Structures are given as C-alpha cells and as structure tokens.
Amino acid sequence: MTTLTASQRKTLDAWLTGRLGRFKPGLRLAVGFGLAAGFAVIVQACLLAWIVNAVVMQGARLATVWPALAALPAVFAVRFVFMLTAERASFATAAALRLDIRAQVVRKVLALGPAWIQWQSSGALTSDAMSGVEALEGYYARWLPNRALSVLLPFAVLAVVLPADLTSGLVLLATAPLIPFFMIVLGKTAAELNQRQWARLAQLSARFLDTLQGLTTLKLFDASRREAEMVQSVSDAYRVTTMQVLRIAFLSAVVLEFLATISIAIVAVLIGFHLLYGKIPFERGLFVLLLAPEFYLPLRSLGTHYHARMDAIAAAERLAAILETPGPATTSLEPLRPASAYTLQFEAVRHTDAAGHPMLDTLSFAAEPGHVTALVGPTGAGKSTVLNLLLGFISPTSGTIRVNEQPLATLDPESWLAEVAWVPQRAHIFIGSLLDNLLIARPNASLAEVHQAARDAGAHDFIDALPLGYNTPLGERGVGLSGGQIQRLALARAFLKNAPIVLLDEPTAHLDAATQIDVHAAIRRLARDRTVLLVAHRPATARLADRIVVLDAGRAVQIGTHAQLASCDGLYADLMGPDAPRSSFSETIDS
C-alpha cells in the first residue's frame, strides 16, 4: 500500500466534487438554509443582548421588553426550521448521490465483464460497492456544506462584529486560521491511517468472502481452523487501524475545541477590559460575546468533519479506479443485420493484455453455420481470449472480427448478443427458483418452451424428480445441485434462447464420464443448424467438432478434422495423448 500524496488527495477531492452534477441544487439548498440559520443566530444574539441590557442595566419593566421576548421564541423556531431543512437537504442529496454512484459502479463492473472481474477480488469489489459508497455520505452531507458555511458564516459574523468592536473583530480574524491549520496538520496523519484502514477492510472482505465460498474445500482438507486464524489475524489488524483512526479523530476534536475555547476566552477578557474602562456599551459588548462562539462554530464543525473527507478520499481511491477503468472500445455502432445463419471470421486478429503480453497473434480462422468449430490448445494458448473477444468483454489490438462481413467492433452490443447463447465452463446459478434461473435466457418464454428446452438439454428428468420440480429454490452458485445438473441447466438456457450462434467454453469440464456423455448428446442437439464455437480440453469433446483449430501461443498452428489432425505428428496429436494414431503426414494446416 502506497500513501497518497497531497496532489493525489487533491485529485480525488476534485473527482468526488465532480460526481455532484445534477445534485448540486440540493447542496446549494442546504448551504442556503444553513446561512439563513446563521443570520437567525445574529438576530437572536441582538435580541438577547438588548433584553439583558434593558432589564439588568436600565431596569426596564416587562411591558417594555415584552415585544422582544415574544420575538425570541419565533427566532428560535425559525432557526430550528432552517437548520432542519438544511440537514434534510444535505442528507437527501447525499443519499441520492450514493445510490447514483453505486449504480455507476455496478454498471461499470457489468460493462467491464468477466474478463476484468476474474482478476479482481469479489470481496473487495463488494466492499467498494457497499462500504466504500456508504463512506461518501459524510463527505457530501457534512463536509461540503460545512466547507461553504465555514467561509460564509464567519464573514457574516465579522460583518456585524467589526463595527461593534474593532478589537474583538481583529482577534477573531487573527485566531480563525489556527483551527484550519491544526486541522490540516492532524489530517495528514489521519489521511494515511484512513487509507490503511480501507486497505485492511478490502483485505478483510476479500479474505472473509473467499473463506465462506471455499468452506467446504477447507473442511475436506482440514484447513478450516488455520483459515479462521488467518481471518482473525486480518480482523485484528483492521481493528487496530480503526482504533488508530479514532484516536486521531478524538485528539483532533480536543485540539480544535481547545483552540476555539482559548480564542473565545481572549475575546471575553478584552470585552471585560473594555467594559471596565467604559470603552464599549454593555449591550454591544454582550452582543459581541454572544457571537464569538458562533464565529468559531462552522470552523469547529469543519474540523470535526475533516475526517469524513479523509474517509471518503480513501474510499474514492478504489471507486475512481473502478469507474475510470477503460472498457472495451467501440466506434460508430450499427445493429446486426438479421440473417438465418451467421459466419464468424477472424482476420489476423491480435490481442495484448494490459501488461503488453500477446494473447493472440495474427489469428485467422472461420466458424461456419451448421458446423461445430472447436478451439483446442494448451493452457494460455488463447482459447478463452477468443470467446472474450466475441462476447465483447475485450477488444482486439489489431485485426478484424467479422459477423457475416460486418465488423464486430461496429456492432451494437445488444443486437449482437441477442443472437448469441453462451455456456461458460462454470455456469452461474442465482438465488431463486430453478424456473427463474432458466427464464434468464428468455424472460417471456412460456412454461411449455421451458420444459422443451430442459428436455433438449437432458435436464427435465432430474428437475421433474425434485420435490418442487421447476419451482425448487436454489442457493447461490447452485447449492443443492451437482456439477452435471448445473451444466445441463446452462445448456437448457442456450436451448431456450434459441440463438443462431452458440459459444461453449468446455461444457464438460469437471464432469464424470456418464454425465459427460449426456452433455455431449445435448450439445449435438444444440449444434443443429447453428454456428457453434466450442472450447475443448478433452479429446471426447473435441471429437464433437466438424473442424478443429489448434492454438499455440495465440496462433492457429493446425486446422482440420479430428481424423486428419490425430493421424499426423503435431500439437493436436500430443494433446490427445500417447495412444493417438500418428503418420508422417506433415501438412498441419487445412485451408
């Protein structure tokens, strides 16, 4: 973890204020009512000073001061209403901003897609979207309104104090900068501690979520106790950091209160001497003395909420990193031209990752309608990269991907993905009923269509055997179902969507031999009259393909049928194993 520099904190501060946008009127309303409450305080002090002077110094009767006494509760009430309105306006604005920023984070994460998410910690992302966004409340509801009021209200008080007593006004003017000065000095330490606290929280969230998700595996390997000790260690580190932040917060509050108290005491002593020597009337002196605490109140509040700013900046570092991450590049978008079948053409496609490592190197091949095209190759050869490019999760560095002669980069994602069914290696099952999870593919599908899709995928029998059938509730990630059942549900989604293009990422991974046979049969049914691109790791899955593209280091080193490639020396025969038939046939590219 690196400590943020002053310029970085300033940049994040500007980033936070830049989020205001259409929410600025709400904060302006809060500041306006806060300023009005400040003017009510001045009127209140004026009335109190006049009443006390009239009764104590001039011996006025009740009839004389009655109008002022009657006006005083009205001023109190008006001040209360102004302060309440300011509070509600600021917190309503902060709440709306939090919802907006959280929605932006969720939309951005969805736009970046699984290719980006797989390198992130789920726990840290959850912490950013929940706790991180919540930490912005103090910044928008407290810090920003008080920052404006800390400038406006003291000047409003000075405007009436200086004519009343020049010396007291100069003292207020001279001591006022002390509070922001010490606020900044203490805030530097608080900033580092806040940043460390958020780093610890992200680490704790990631560790805790990973532990929960892997609890079954930890139990199987008798490692749950050791992992619990690791979670406790991270939790203790977070507790220590939190207490350090609180210690600085309490220390700064005491220092700011002490400075304000000393400054008010100086004003009181000076007014006392002025009254003693008859340099100022009692009413005017009392008026100035009543306003002195109100002069420092906005500055003290600003100092108190300075930690809300530090907290928000620490959280904003991660949020800004997510929201400013560039997504897949798009140019002028056009809808995909409808067709009964689609050909996918890769033309010298290159792709490099963020670190500059080549993932695909001038890859060229075609996937044609009515055929199953399989991508085979060792780990890291670029098979998943091909699918990620087609799904729009990433963009090619160079080269062109065409869909029926239309460049994929120019297609509207919605119109393109509407024609694609994707079956990932590990299908995600959401909390809800089994029927709800199937209807994700086509929400308006009828129950009969859902049943037919399940039959085509070989899933209807096991669903029908469940006590509640299609209404069976499922847990996160398909708790209650086996791996083969989850995979058949994923295939049922593809059948239900009935898209002309099907992308399969090793759908038989992690399945036993019997279940693999059932899934292969479902894939054969799914492949009829469709363009199917299949990532295969197992020989049995590769044999489903009409054409096989063998990838190595991002290049197509062999293209042909299973029989052609298995009968000659080359990478495909090596991947099939030592029992694969060989010949001296040297041609490895079937154009």
Side-chain angles (χ1 to χ4, degrees), residues 217-232:
T217 306
L218 292 171
K219 283 288 186 184
L220 289 173
F221 288 93
D222 195 25
S224 57
R225 187 179 299 275
R226 184 173 68 250
E227 186 62 25
E229 291 173 353
M230 289 297 298
V231 171
Q232 183 175 353

Side-chain angles (χ1 to χ4, degrees), residues 417-479:
L417 293 177
E419 303 297 317
V420 177
W422 177 41
V423 180
Q425 192 173 133
R426 288 183 176 87
H428 193 89
I429 302 298
F430 299 90
I431 295 176
S433 71
L434 196 148
L435 179 62
D436 292 335
N437 274 275
L438 290 175
L439 287 174
I440 289 173
R442 187 152 58 95
N444 60 350
S446 66
L447 193 58
E449 290 173 320
V450 172
H451 288 178
Q452 185 58 48
R455 288 190 183 93
D456 291 337
H460 180 75
D461 290 342
F462 86 78
I463 296 173
D464 202 41
L466 295 172
L468 297 177
Y470 284 83
N471 294 317
T472 300
L474 300 178
E476 184 73 21
R477 300 195 174 197
V479 173

Side-chain angles (χ1 to χ4, degrees), residues 550-565:
V550 184
L551 300 181
D552 188 26
R555 289 174 176 250
V557 295
Q558 291 178 288
I559 298 179
T561 65
H562 169 74
Q564 291 172 333
L565 299 178

Side-chain angles (χ1 to χ4, degrees), residues 4 7 31 102 131 163 206 268 279 284 296-297 370 479 574 580 589:
L4 291 173
S7 62
V31 172
R102 183 174 287 122
S131 301
K279 293 184 178 180
R284 197 185 304 173
Y296 293 106
L297 182 61
V479 173
D574 293 338
I589 300 291

